[in-house]
Amino acid sequence: MKLVKYFLQKKAVTILLLVLVLAGGLFSYAKMGKLEDAPFTIKQALVLTPYPGASPMEVQSQVTDVLEEAIQSLGELYYLKTENRAGLSKITVYVKKEIRADEMQQLWDKLRRKVNDVQGKLPAGAGTSIVNDDFGDVLGVFYGLTGTGYTYRELEDQAKGVKNELLKVKDVAKVEIYGVRTPTIDVSVSPSVMARSGITTADIARAFDAQNRVVDAGGIDAGQNRIRIESTGNFYSPDDIRNLTIVSRTGEYFRLADIATVEESYQQPASNLMRIDGRPAVGIAISTVPTGNVVDMAEAVKARIGELSESMPEGFELQSIYDQGYESDVANQGFILNLIISVVTVVAILLFFIGFKNGILVGSGLVFSIFATLIVMFGSGIALQRMSLAAIIIAMGMLVDNAIVVSDSALVNMQRGMRKRVAIMRACSATALPLLAATVIAILTFLPIYYSPHITGELLSSLVVVIGVSLMFSWVFALTQTPFFIQEFVRRPRPEELQDSLFSGRYYEKFRSSLHWVIRHRTVAIGSLVVMLVFSAWSFKFIPKVFVPALDKQYFTLDVWLPEGVKIEETDRLAMEMADYIRGYEQTEMVSTYAGRTPPRYYLSNVSFGPQSNYAQVLVKCKSSRESRELHALLQDSIRTRFPGPLIKVNKFELSPLTEAVIEARFLGPDPFVLDSLVGEAIEIMRRNPKVADARNEWGNMSMMIRPVYDPVKAGALGITKAAMMESVKSINDGTVVGVYRDNEKKVPVLLKSDGAEVADVRSLGSFSVWNGERSAPLSQVTERIETTWEFPQVRTYNRQLSMAAMCGVKPGHTMAEVHGEIRDEVEQMKLPEGYTFFWDSQYKDQSEGLQALAKFFPLAFLMLVVILVALFGNFRQPVIILCVLPLSLIGVAIGMLLTGFDFGFFPIAGWLGLLGMIIKNVIVLLDEINVQRKNGVAPYTAVVEATVSRTRPVLMAATTTILGMVPLLFDVAFGGMAATIIFGLTFATLLTLFVTPALYTLFYKVKKEQI
């Protein structure tokens, strides 16, 4: 206790340190980063490899499997999922959840080396694999650029100008442009003209390469100088391309414009399309540097965009689609308001219990603890965000617990006639160790969350750190600042003010009477609680289970899938129709659509889909979060009625990444048709449940394919190779690349297309003329047949095995856990052929992993807790009493969940773990007081009763401050369940502390009836 004595004696040092804490806290708050949500690492990377012309099965076997074999040698690999479409391999690499954020970049470098090492093993025609390791980057400030009367080229040029300016803004890390169309130069020529002229596609390609190649012309020596000679003749405009001279194999010369039409166009089909309120748009997404303040960055970007908008040509308009800075500011302001309300509530409770002066003195410790915590947060790089601010509110009531116990003990000592300094030192020495043990145990209960390798552990890590740091500071200030303030500002009672009996009065006597009754009927009381515990455990089946809650935002999204094979223009048209329909609701402020693939990750939990032509996302921005909830509920049913064709998912924003489907029964095996049969059987099981929505096959519907079967005999007689045949066919719509046109920094492909070709079915395709430069012939004359067949448009694998899932959603009003529980047994009882396996994927797998990760370090935390308790009390019986009390807290939790209607998931579980620490803290203080009284020679029964009575006020004060301090969080969508868990659990636990703990003590220590 020398440290306490030092602070009491050295007033100047104590005052200086306290002032520095306040100043440092204010400085840290002003300078620390501010985010909307706690960051977490997306432990995934994408490996994309083009293989033009290959079928999905060929892509899977010839490209994907080769890459997977190399990637599987990564020791940190968790599993691989692949999606193979015609001409494209997409591998999603999932690494082990134990890998921490600071290790990820080194891991991605290893992945890139593995992928690069096998590029030589890929088949001819396959492109270079691209490893996208910034898959999880958040570009949280998202603007859209529209331009009435402007082309996509002009939109892109304007967007690039904006990008260059925004990169100069402070704290801007990266700017990404979305929705641009790839420009092309289309050279349209009739096959008959090519046949007559004797020109082949190779001739045109050679001419392009010869003229457009950059050649070093050297220079000449002129006296003492050397003059560089610049080569000319490159393409600088479409007119230069029109004047290109083509030499046929017969030596004839042709001007390209004489045999073809040359015009600027865009690549077909488009890879993605973006619109804002129906107008073509280009997205501009901006990310913050890791150490930056997104609120300040977003404000600076907004100001710069305002300046740029004034100088843009008429018709261009920049609109904010999603502003993470604004969202962060709103979220932080809401939590700061809740924090202020909590502080005022806690101080008000203290004033009620212990008077104005004492209440202010104890409450001041709360302020010092918070400010000291802000300093540590700033120093360790923890930003102000939803989790860290919620942690302060959750810890609010607990922060005054230590000060309450110390001050109450000091005041009681002074009431007993002790001198002020002696009373303070006696209070500190008696409570320091029990309070330290109780504080450490309260922190330990959160240990399994902090060390959980699951994404939820990383999401809540800042919450755990902030709670732990603030609780330790509360103990430090309880033994330094609180004694100092008592010494300086609390008057010692005069002799005539001393009370003979400190714990007397009507309320104390009623409590003693109740306590006598409970101890007398302790067996019945404890047995009743055990029965209540059983019923509470049973009642959890009626509480909805949602692992991670949704957020309360003015935004929501719709994911839309049309049948496989639909072209992107049709997807875009339908998305525009849906946007027009949604704009008809008064709640809507803005609707943006994205066809082909999802937009940049403007919110951390956004999921990525595409590229695929049948997919679109609709982002709806409402006027307020309340109107967003209303419109979201309205669209759940009405949008499906209005647009019955596509599959539509109406999504809320959530803290954890969304999945493609809520429930997935995944089957693995070698034959896709057997997998299809198994999945079909599982889908039928799903559809029989009335709570299931949108049961479907993960691979989608089979799509039509036209297959010209090349005949080498007939085609060989005409001198038409398979390559020439396919190049001719590709020229119908897509075009064959014959060169590159450099438009400043862009490489614009030059595409050869067939002029006037009207091909829409097999018959017209058979009549289409293919050429070899000398002659042309209908396609039907160089093929055995032109057949129409069906194929799986995508082929998926899981860890190098073909994988197909039966997927479904859940109708509004029901949960994944509820529906999964009803269909689980029937699906799992399906008979699988030899060589086929099955597991539950999607949310079920993720939640199971989350709970397993939470449980992983629970034994360690429990063991450390037991060691501390045994070391503190020096026996086993009192720790066992504490451990017997803990499960009973579930009674209050169950009542709270049922009364409030909140879902039970990861956050309430985390709240319950924290609740255990609060209960242990109160019970430790009570048992320690019983031990003190027994050491002083008080009879066992009297010691139990009087120790409980003496601790009633601090226990009630601590519980009430925690409970009422948590009330503001009840109205938060994300933390409401956690708040309800703590509020109702602690309310019931307080009764356990004051009644059940004494009853258990007398039971374990066999206090005889005659003593009672």
Side-chain angles (χ1 to χ4, degrees):
M1 291 295 103
K2 292 182 179 179
L3 183 64
V4 177
K5 190 175 182 180
Y6 176 85
F7 279 104
L8 291 176
Q9 292 175 340
K10 306 294 184 180
K11 295 181 181 180
V13 175
T14 305
I15 292 171
L16 175 62
L17 291 176
L18 293 177
V19 169
L20 288 176
V21 169
L22 293 177
L26 289 171
F27 175 82
S28 300
Y29 176 76
K31 294 294 184 180
M32 67 198 314
K34 295 176 180 64
L35 297 172
E36 181 181 3
D37 283 302
F40 58 85
T41 308
I42 303 291
K43 298 175 182 178
Q44 304 170 22
L46 291 179
V47 181
L48 298 172
T49 311
Y51 188 18
S55 68
M57 278 294 184
E58 289 172 331
V59 169
Q60 186 273 321
S61 61
Q62 299 177 28
V63 174
T64 302
D65 195 56
V66 174
L67 292 169
E68 283 185 294
E69 184 178 2
I71 296 170
Q72 272 196 324
S73 62
L74 276 175
E76 299 87 349
L77 180 68
Y78 183 23
Y79 63 90
L80 296 169
K81 274 188 175 181
T82 74
E83 181 181 341
N84 304 278
R85 293 181 174 271
L88 180 66
S89 163
K90 178 181 175 181
I91 304 174
T92 306
V93 181
Y94 296 81
V95 298
K96 292 176 181 176
K97 300 183 184 297
E98 292 81 4
I99 307 299
R100 290 291 176 177
D102 57 354
E103 302 171 355
M104 296 302 293
Q105 191 54 56
Q106 184 179 0
L107 175 56
W108 297 144
D109 290 341
K110 287 173 63 177
L111 171 64
R112 190 173 283 105
R113 288 196 297 271
K114 298 284 184 184
V115 171
N116 289 339
D117 287 345
V118 294
Q119 292 300 294
K121 297 181 180 179
L122 299 181
T128 303
S129 300
I130 299 172
V131 178
N132 181 3
D133 59 356
D134 57 0
F135 179 67
D137 287 359
V138 179
L139 298 101
V141 179
F142 190 26
Y143 281 82
L145 175 68
T146 57
T148 304
Y150 291 97
T151 64
Y152 272 104
R153 270 187 173 86
E154 292 166 322
L155 275 173
E156 182 182 359
D157 290 341
Q158 192 67 44
K160 286 186 174 179
V162 172
K163 173 182 177 178
N164 293 334
E165 291 299 319
L166 293 182
L167 285 171
K168 301 174 187 176
V169 175
K170 184 177 183 293
D171 286 345
V172 168
K174 183 171 68 172
V175 179
E176 184 177 312
I177 298 177
Y178 172 90
V180 298
R181 299 283 303 275
T182 302
T184 62
I185 301 294
D186 289 354
V187 178
S188 302
V189 60
S190 169
S192 59
V193 171
M194 291 193 72
R196 286 198 306 271
S197 63
I199 292 174
T200 65
T201 54
D203 295 331
I204 299 175
R206 276 196 302 272
F208 264 94
D209 181 62
Q211 184 161 333
N212 203 39
R213 184 187 304 168
V214 176
V215 180
D216 181 11
I220 60 172
D221 295 330
Q224 294 181 345
N225 299 323
R226 179 172 175 80
I227 303 173
R228 187 179 70 86
I229 300 174
E230 182 178 4
S231 62
T232 61
N234 297 332
F235 299 136
Y236 298 103
S237 70
D239 284 337
D240 294 336
I241 296 175
R242 293 185 182 99
N243 293 325
L244 176 66
T245 299
I246 311 295
V247 182
S248 70
R249 292 185 179 181
T250 59
E252 295 181 80
Y253 291 81
F254 297 91
R255 180 172 169 266
L256 187 58
D258 293 338
I259 60 172
T261 302
V262 179
E263 59 186 6
E264 295 181 89
S265 185
Y266 300 101
Q267 192 172 57
Q268 297 292 339
S271 60
N272 54 80
L273 298 169
M274 174 179 171
R275 296 182 187 273
I276 299 176
D277 290 334
R279 294 175 293 168
V282 169
I284 302 173
I286 307 112
S287 66
T288 318
V289 294
T291 57
N293 185 323
V294 71
V295 176
D296 295 341
M297 186 277 285
E299 282 295 326
V301 166
K302 184 178 180 181
R304 186 65 184 124
I305 280 181
E307 297 169 0
L308 294 172
S309 297
E310 295 177 0
S311 60
M312 284 182 184
E314 187 176 353
F316 284 111
E317 183 181 1
L318 275 164
Q319 293 177 266
S320 174
I321 297 174
Y322 188 89
D323 188 344
Q324 190 189 45
Y326 172 79
E327 296 293 317
S328 302
D329 197 33
V330 169
N332 283 330
Q333 285 178 10
F335 267 99
I336 293 295
L337 178 61
N338 288 340
L339 181 59
I340 293 171
I341 293 172
S342 295
V343 171
V344 172
T345 303
V346 169
V347 173
I349 295 165
L350 294 173
L351 298 182
F352 174 78
F353 273 101
I354 56 178
F356 181 81
K357 181 183 286 188
N358 293 337
I360 292 295
L361 294 181
V362 173
S364 63
L366 172 68
V367 176
F368 284 108
S369 296
I370 292 174
F371 276 57
T373 302
L374 290 175
I375 296 172
V376 174
M377 289 171 61
F378 177 65
S380 57
I382 299 175
L384 282 178
Q385 29 81 358
R386 194 185 308 271
M387 296 298 166
S388 57
L389 285 168
I392 297 176
I393 297 175
I394 292 169
M396 187 68 59
M398 295 188 286
L399 293 182
V400 295
D401 286 5
N402 293 324
I404 286 172
V405 173
V406 172
S407 62
D408 185 75
S409 181
L411 293 174
V412 168
N413 288 340
M414 284 191 284
Q415 285 286 346
R416 288 172 173 160
M418 292 185 190
R419 292 168 50 206
K420 184 188 288 188
R421 179 71 65 83
V422 175
I424 293 172
M425 293 300 296
R426 184 77 58 87
C428 291
S429 61
T431 59
L433 189 58
L435 288 180
L436 176 61
T439 302
V440 172
I441 286 173
I443 296 170
L444 278 178
T445 56
F446 288 100
L447 186 69
I449 302 172
Y450 180 75
Y451 283 108
S452 167
H454 191 258
I455 192 172
T456 45
E458 192 173 357
L459 186 66
L460 290 175
S461 62
S462 60
L463 181 142
V464 177
V465 170
V466 171
I467 288 178
V469 169
S470 61
L471 288 179
M472 284 307 303
F473 273 125
S474 75
W475 180 79
V476 171
F477 285 114
L479 295 177
T480 53
Q481 174 262 333
T482 299
F484 178 76
F485 274 29
I486 293 174
Q487 173 182 272
E488 298 301 316
F489 302 108
V490 175
R491 181 177 61 83
R492 181 190 175 197
R494 296 185 181 92
E496 63 272 15
E497 295 173 337
L498 298 178
Q499 299 177 15
D500 295 332
S501 179
L502 295 177
F503 305 105
S504 60
R506 184 175 60 178
Y507 294 109
Y508 278 115
E509 291 307 318
K510 284 186 177 181
F511 176 67
R512 279 190 178 91
S513 170
S514 301
L515 189 56
H516 284 307
W517 188 93
V518 170
I519 295 176
R520 191 176 299 116
H521 301 89
R522 58 194 176 188
T523 306
V524 174
I526 295 170
S528 301
L529 286 172
V530 171
V531 172
M532 289 177 65
L533 177 61
V534 173
F535 273 103
S536 298
W538 172 77
S539 71
F540 269 87
K541 67 185 294 185
F542 302 105
I543 300 172
K545 312 295 191 303
V546 175
F547 194 62
V548 178
L551 298 175
D552 193 22
K553 284 180 170 288
Q554 65 185 113
Y555 299 88
F556 64 89
T557 62
L558 294 87
D559 288 318
V560 184
W561 287 272
L562 278 73
E564 291 284 354
V566 170
K567 60 183 182 180
I568 193 171
E569 290 78 9
E570 176 62 19
T571 306
D572 182 47
R573 183 196 63 77
L574 181 72
M576 282 196 294
E577 279 190 25
M578 294 177 65
D580 291 338
Y581 173 71
I582 295 170
R583 272 194 298 273
Y585 287 91
E586 62 181 4
Q587 295 95 333
T588 306
E589 180 178 319
M590 184 178 73
V591 183
S592 52
T593 61
Y594 311 87
R597 67 180 176 94
T598 46
R601 193 186 294 272
Y602 53 86
Y603 181 69
L604 186 58
S605 295
N606 283 4
V607 68
S608 176
F609 292 115
Q612 55 190 101
S613 62
N614 66 320
Y615 170 79
Q617 185 177 95
V618 181
L619 174 62
V620 182
K621 181 181 181 182
C622 295
K623 296 171 184 175
S624 68
S625 58
R626 177 185 59 81
E627 290 172 304
S628 174
R629 293 194 300 272
E630 293 174 358
L631 185 55
H632 181 276
L634 286 170
L635 290 178
Q636 284 282 5
D637 295 319
S638 66
I639 196 76
R640 299 167 188 270
T641 304
R642 178 69 176 78
F643 301 93
L647 167 65
I648 304 171
K649 276 183 63 186
V650 188
N651 310 302
K652 292 180 180 179
F653 278 61
E654 296 188 358
L655 283 170
S656 63
L658 292 170
T659 50
E660 188 171 348
V662 176
I663 298 173
E664 293 183 13
R666 183 166 300 282
F667 297 86
L668 294 88
D671 190 331
F673 293 100
V674 175
L675 290 174
D676 188 49
S677 174
L678 292 170
V679 167
E681 186 179 345
I683 289 173
E684 286 304 312
I685 295 172
M686 292 175 174
R687 285 176 177 162
R688 288 198 293 268
N689 189 302
K691 301 172 186 177
V692 163
D694 306 319
R696 62 196 186 275
N697 189 321
E698 179 188 34
W699 287 22
N701 57 285
M702 297 191 77
S703 59
M704 184 180 292
M705 175 181 63
I706 298 175
R707 181 185 291 136
V709 181
Y710 179 73
D711 188 327
V713 177
K714 292 193 294 185
L718 296 172
I720 297 176
T721 63
K722 178 185 175 183
M725 180 185 81
M726 291 307 180
E727 285 178 353
S728 298
V729 171
K730 188 176 181 182
S731 71
I732 297 172
N733 277 325
D734 298 354
T736 301
V737 178
V738 292
V740 174
Y741 162 57
R742 291 184 181 86
D743 184 3
N744 295 322
E745 80 281 3
K746 289 184 292 191
K747 291 183 178 181
V748 180
V750 180
L751 303 178
L752 182 66
K753 293 191 173 184
S754 293
D755 188 24
E758 298 290 338
V759 177
D761 53 29
V762 172
R763 179 174 297 178
S764 56
L765 180 62
S767 302
F768 175 74
S769 295
V770 298
W771 65 88
N772 69 345
E774 296 178 359
R775 61 176 67 89
S776 64
L779 182 64
S780 58
Q781 293 185 12
V782 296
T783 56
E784 294 180 12
R785 62 188 180 279
I786 303 175
E787 59 187 16
T788 301
T789 185
W790 297 86
E791 68 170 348
F792 289 110
Q794 58 173 319
V795 173
R796 300 203 184 197
T797 67
Y798 182 94
N799 279 345
R800 301 184 69 190
Q801 282 187 289
L802 288 180
S803 162
M804 190 182 294
M807 312 169 80
C808 70
V810 174
K811 290 183 178 178
H814 304 285
T815 65
M816 184 282 293
E818 175 187 0
V819 176
H820 179 263
E822 293 177 4
I823 66 173
R824 178 175 180 173
D825 288 344
E826 195 172 355
V827 173
E828 291 180 352
Q829 288 169 9
M830 289 172 51
K831 292 184 179 179
L832 301 180
E834 187 177 350
Y836 290 81
T837 56
F838 157 85
F839 69 91
W840 292 104
D841 204 352
S842 190
Q843 287 191 13
Y844 178 81
K845 177 174 179 285
D846 188 58
Q847 293 181 17
S848 299
E849 290 175 347
L851 292 174
Q852 290 170 8
L854 187 64
K856 183 175 182 180
F857 287 93
F858 191 82
L860 176 62
F862 181 77
L863 180 62
M864 294 172 68
L865 182 152
V866 170
V867 169
I868 292 173
L869 289 176
V870 172
L872 177 65
F873 292 109
N875 60 65
F876 293 104
R877 276 188 284 189
Q878 291 181 27
V880 171
I881 291 172
I882 295 174
L883 297 180
C884 287
V885 170
L886 296 182
L888 299 176
S889 63
L890 286 174
I891 300 172
V893 174
I895 293 171
M897 292 286 103
L898 290 169
L899 288 179
T900 59
F902 284 110
D903 302 323
F904 191 77
F906 190 86
F907 279 31
I909 291 173
W912 179 67
L913 290 175
L915 173 65
L916 297 182
M918 302 174 199
I919 297 170
I920 292 171
K921 193 171 189 180
N922 286 336
V923 178
I924 284 176
V925 171
L926 176 55
L927 292 177
D928 182 68
E929 181 63 22
I930 294 174
N931 293 336
V932 169
Q933 296 214 15
R934 290 195 64 177
K935 285 179 183 177
N936 292 335
V938 179
Y941 174 69
T942 305
V944 170
V945 172
E946 292 308 313
T948 305
V949 171
S950 69
R951 288 302 178 194
T952 300
R953 185 171 69 170
V955 167
L956 286 177
M957 286 171 61
T960 308
T961 53
T962 302
I963 290 166
L964 295 183
M966 288 289 296
V967 167
L969 280 185
L970 269 178
F971 306 98
D972 185 84
V973 175
F975 292 98
M978 179 186 284
T981 300
I982 294 175
I983 289 172
F984 286 89
L986 188 57
T987 301
F988 190 80
T990 303
L991 299 176
L992 297 179
T993 302
L994 296 177
F995 289 102
V996 178
T997 304
L1000 285 171
Y1001 187 94
T1002 58
L1003 185 67
F1004 274 76
Y1005 280 87
K1006 299 178 181 178
V1007 177
K1008 297 180 181 179
K1009 289 187 178 181
E1010 52 267 28
Q1011 292 179 288
I1012 299 176

